[in-house]
Amino acid sequence: MKDKKKLFSSLYSGKGFYITAAVCLCLIAASIGVIYKASKNLITEIAYDTNTSVPFATEQAKADKKDEADPRLTEKNGDEKDTTEATTAEAITDSPSTTKKPPQTTAATTAPEATTTDFGNTSYILPCEDEILKDYSSTPVYDETMDDWRVHRAIDFTCERGTPVYSVGNGIVTKVYADTSYGYCIEIDFGDFIGRYCGLEQGTTVKLDTVMKKGDTVGKTGELPCESGQEPHFHFEVLKDGKNVDPIDEIR
């Protein structure tokens, strides 16, 4: 214990005091140096972070602004819009019109009538069971009603008024009309030709578009104004390609 007191006493007296003070100053200086260096590094790092963060934010803002103002993006969007509009326009142009023009109608003409429908006719019958009063003639014959000479493009069958007449084959009624010269008339398409029944009683005949079978009743005989000077009869014509032909040549 006494030795320790002597030691401290020697340190604080004479040269020992100065040595101890020098050592303390060195330690204090060293501590200050360490603290200064650490502070300087810290300040540098803070300054570095501060200096670098500003340019980074600035560059990011510029990049965002560049993306918004990039003409390529504007051009692309414009192209897409134009393409969409063009596609829509093409769709509208290519789509069929919903407005249809009414079909054009043509007036009836005297063009030859084609008889190409096949009704399965392999044979025909006479339209009337009575005898022939006047045959078909392409040369003029005497006409009792008109008291002159003229061609007779039909066959007249002797029969009383009200006598039934028949369909000479399978066919369809294509015309029903009244004529001032030939009375009430019916036309039937038989495929190979058209049969014209003249001078029938109105109201006892078949209607338009009626499908006929061979032997079906077409109507009953009535008045025939242009041949009223003859005895009662039935007037039957045959037309082929729009022209009168001899009915016997087509039926038999």
Side-chain angles (χ1 to χ4, degrees):
M1 185 65 178
K2 289 180 179 181
D3 293 335
K4 290 182 180 180
K5 288 181 179 180
K6 287 180 179 181
L7 178 62
F8 283 108
S9 177
S10 62
L11 290 174
Y12 289 103
S13 65
K15 294 181 180 180
F17 173 79
Y18 292 107
I19 293 172
T20 302
V23 171
C24 291
L25 290 174
C26 289
L27 291 174
I28 293 171
S31 299
I32 293 172
V34 172
I35 294 171
Y36 174 76
K37 185 176 182 181
S39 299
K40 185 177 182 181
N41 291 336
L42 180 61
I43 293 171
T44 302
E45 290 177 0
I46 293 173
Y48 176 77
D49 291 339
T50 304
N51 291 335
T52 56
S53 61
V54 173
F56 176 78
T58 304
E59 292 297 324
Q60 184 64 34
K62 290 182 178 180
D64 294 340
K65 186 174 181 180
K66 182 178 181 181
D67 290 341
E68 293 175 357
D70 192 345
R72 292 175 297 174
L73 297 177
T74 304
E75 182 178 357
K76 182 177 180 181
N77 293 334
D79 292 341
E80 291 177 354
K81 182 178 180 182
D82 293 341
T83 303
T84 303
E85 293 177 353
T87 304
T88 304
E90 291 176 359
I92 294 174
T93 303
D94 295 339
S95 62
S97 175
T98 57
T99 304
K100 295 183 179 180
K101 294 182 179 180
Q104 295 181 352
T105 56
T106 55
T109 62
T110 57
E113 300 179 30
T115 56
T116 57
T117 306
D118 183 9
F119 292 102
N121 290 307
T122 56
S123 63
Y124 297 95
I125 62 173
L126 292 174
C128 188
E129 297 175 349
D130 295 288
E131 297 180 356
I132 293 177
L133 174 65
K134 183 180 290 186
D135 209 340
Y136 176 90
S137 177
S138 57
T139 59
V141 294
Y142 181 72
D143 186 291
E144 293 83 358
T145 305
M146 300 300 175
D147 192 22
D148 60 10
W149 293 77
R150 61 182 63 196
V151 296
H152 187 252
R153 302 186 186 280
I155 292 179
D156 293 341
F157 293 89
T158 302
C159 62
E160 296 296 328
R161 184 169 181 169
T163 300
V165 292
Y166 309 103
S167 176
V168 300
N170 303 324
I172 186 170
V173 178
T174 56
K175 287 184 180 181
V176 178
Y177 59 96
D179 186 88
T180 55
S181 297
Y182 291 92
Y184 203 69
C185 302
I186 299 291
E187 292 187 12
I188 301 176
D189 183 0
F190 295 108
D192 297 323
F193 54 84
I194 292 175
R196 179 181 289 165
Y197 294 72
C198 301
L200 301 177
E201 284 186 353
Q202 186 173 354
T204 64
T205 57
V206 294
K207 307 301 181 183
L208 185 66
D209 295 329
T210 301
V211 176
M212 306 297 296
K213 298 292 184 181
K214 182 167 64 174
D216 287 349
T217 299
V218 176
K220 295 180 180 181
T221 56
E223 182 182 2
L224 191 67
C226 67
E227 295 180 355
S228 58
Q230 303 178 35
E231 60 182 282
H233 65 277
F234 164 60
H235 182 100
F236 179 68
E237 300 180 9
V238 167
L239 295 91
K240 195 168 186 178
D241 297 329
K243 297 180 179 180
N244 285 87
V245 295
D246 190 341
I248 297 300
D249 291 342
E250 300 301 323
I251 294 174
R252 292 182 175 176

